[in-house]
Amino acid sequence: MDLRSDTVTQPTLAMRDAMTRADVGDDVYGEDATINALEQRVARWLGKEDALFCSSGTQSNLLGLLSHCRNGEEYIVGQEYHTYRYEAGGAAVLGGIVPQTIEVEADGTLSLDTIAERIKPNDPHFPITRLLAFENTHAGQVVSQDYFAQARSLAEQHGLKMHLDGARLVNAMAATQLTAAELAAPFDSVSVCCSKGLGAPVGSLLVGPADYIARARRWRKMVGGGMRQAGILAAAIDYALNHHLERIQDDHDNAKWLAATLQNLCVNSHIGVSDARTNMVYVTLPSLEFAQSLQRFMEENKIKVGAARKLRLVTHLDITRHDLERFTVLFEEFLKTQ
Ligand SMILES: *Cc1c(COP(=O)(O)O)cnc(C)c1O
C-alpha cells in the first residue's frame, strides 16, 4: 500500500496487453499511428487545435513555457506551483525565461490585484511579461472557473497568454462535472498528466494552437524528448482514457471516507485532518519526529507514507477501501502508543 502519491500505480494486466498490441512507427518522422491518434484525441478532448505527446509533466510544462516565452521574457506564476517550484528551474535554465512568483492564496488562486501590480510596463529596465501560469488542481484543490474567467480578462487587457498546468485535470473534471474542454477553455495551452490518477506508466500531453504545438515539437526534439516507437506508451494512455477516467470518482470517495475516519480518530488530539481535496487528505502532525515514527511504524506494516509534518495522503487506482480501513486501524493503534 503506497499513499505517498498517485504516480505510484502499476500498469494493469489489461493495460499491458493493450500496449503489446499497439501499432507503432517512428514518431520523430510522425509515423507512429498510435501517437498520432492519441494526440488528435487529446486535442479534441480539450477543445484545442493540436497536442504533443511528452515524456513527463515536467517536460510538457517546460515545452509549454518555452513555446510561449523567449529569452528575457517573463511568466507570472505561483510560488508553490509546480512550474516554478518543482521543475528544477527548467524554464529559466534552458529558456532564459524570468519567473515572477506570487504567493498562492488559500483557494489555490493568485491575487488578481497582485498579478496586475507585477505585470511590467514596456520599459527597457524590465523583462517583458508574456504569460500567466496557473495550476488546477493545486494541492488537490479545484480552482474555480469563475476565477479563471477573471484572470483571462486581465490577461487579455495586457496581451498576455495563459498556461494551465492541468497535471490533475481529470480530478477537477470529476469534482466539478465539467468537461475537459470547459476546464481548458480559459487557457491558450494546457498540460495534462496521464501517469497520475489515470494510471498510465508514462506520459503527459501539451495542447494548444497548431503553430504553438509546432514550436513545442521543435523544443521537444532539442531537449531530447523525440521518442521513436512511443506508441507503446500512447496505447497505455488510450487504454487509461477508455477505462480509468470514470473511476476517478472512486478515488475522491475514498479520500472523503479517509478524511472523515481520520477526523474522528483525531478529535481531542494535536493532529489536524483536512477535508478531502479531490484525491488528497492532508494530516498536520505535532512534530517532524512524530511524522518520522509514524512513517517507520507504517513501513513495518508494509505501508508507504511520507515523513512530513504536513503529511499528504493520496488515493489512487491501487488503493481500495479495504486498504484504507487497514490503514486507519493501524493509525489508531499508532496513536495509542504515543
Ligand atoms: C506531477 C505534477 C506535474 C508533472 O510531474 P512529472 O512527474 O514530471 O510528470 C506537474 N504539475 C503538477 C501540479 C504535478 O503534480
Side-chain angles (χ1 to χ4, degrees), residues 2-56:
D2 192 337
L3 292 165
R4 292 171 303 170
S5 175
D6 46 11
T7 55
V8 299
T9 57
Q10 294 281 318
T12 62
L13 281 177
M15 179 181 278
R16 290 169 195 245
D17 185 51
M19 294 171 79
T20 64
R21 287 182 285 100
D23 184 5
V24 298
D26 191 321
D27 182 49
V28 174
Y29 292 155
E31 292 172 0
D32 190 297
T34 312
I35 290 277
N36 292 341
L38 178 70
E39 288 177 344
Q40 287 313 301
R41 176 182 185 173
V42 172
R44 250 183 289 120
W45 185 42
L46 274 84
K48 306 289 183 211
E49 267 176 16
D50 208 353
L52 181 69
F53 178 72
C54 300
S55 62
S56 67

Side-chain angles (χ1 to χ4, degrees), residues 127-154:
I128 300 164
T129 311
R130 277 285 176 240
L131 181 70
L132 307 182
F134 293 102
E135 198 168 294
N136 197 14
T137 61
H138 171 67
Q141 277 193 112
V142 177
V143 178
S144 90
Q145 286 306 101
D146 230 32
Y147 169 78
F148 286 135
Q150 290 174 44
R152 178 86 212 173
S153 75
L154 178 65

Side-chain angles (χ1 to χ4, degrees), residues 255-256 258-260 263 272-278 280-282:
K256 266 204 191 90
L258 178 63
Q263 282 165 356
V273 181
S274 76
D275 288 334
R277 299 173 169 188
T278 59
M280 297 180 186
V281 178
Y282 286 87

